[in-house]
Amino acid sequence: MTSHIARCVGGDRWVVSWLPGRTLSGQQAVTAMTIASAVATGQPPTDSEWAMLDGLALGLGLTAREAVGMVVTENHDLRRPAATTRRDLE
């Protein structure tokens, strides 16, 4: 339903494509993907959907509007391996 993904980085630590730089718990990753799926419809949320999104986003330390904005604008492809840097080779 969405182009965003969550990837386990060890233990109960997850990264989500629309939340770059953050490591989440498994439950937070499920919450983040639920938000991304809700936004994937392309339709503006109804008042009741905004309320639901607000409750979910709170678990990520965000407002619904912040979360929706990030889902729409962030485009980090976690399926591709990270680029190797010179530091990685030393």
Side-chain angles (χ1 to χ4, degrees):
M1 292 184 71
T2 177
S3 62
H4 290 288
I5 65 167
R7 182 178 62 174
C8 183
V9 293
D12 188 37
R13 296 178 0 188
W14 293 77
V15 293
V16 175
S17 57
W18 66 268
L19 288 168
R22 289 189 57 181
T23 303
L24 307 175
S25 69
Q27 182 58 49
Q28 287 175 312
V30 169
T31 298
M33 293 307 297
T34 302
I35 292 169
S37 293
V39 174
T41 65
Q43 299 296 318
T46 63
D47 288 343
S48 61
E49 289 169 331
W50 276 119
M52 183 239 356
L53 290 169
D54 243 345
L56 291 170
L58 183 62
L60 301 175
L62 301 168
T63 67
R65 296 201 185 278
E66 289 171 326
V68 168
M70 292 176 78
V71 167
V72 170
T73 60
E74 293 295 336
N75 190 20
H76 298 275
D77 189 351
L78 297 178
R79 290 171 277 215
R80 282 189 270 154
T84 304
T85 64
R86 182 180 174 134
R87 183 177 210 167
D88 293 334
L89 299 175
E90 294 176 350

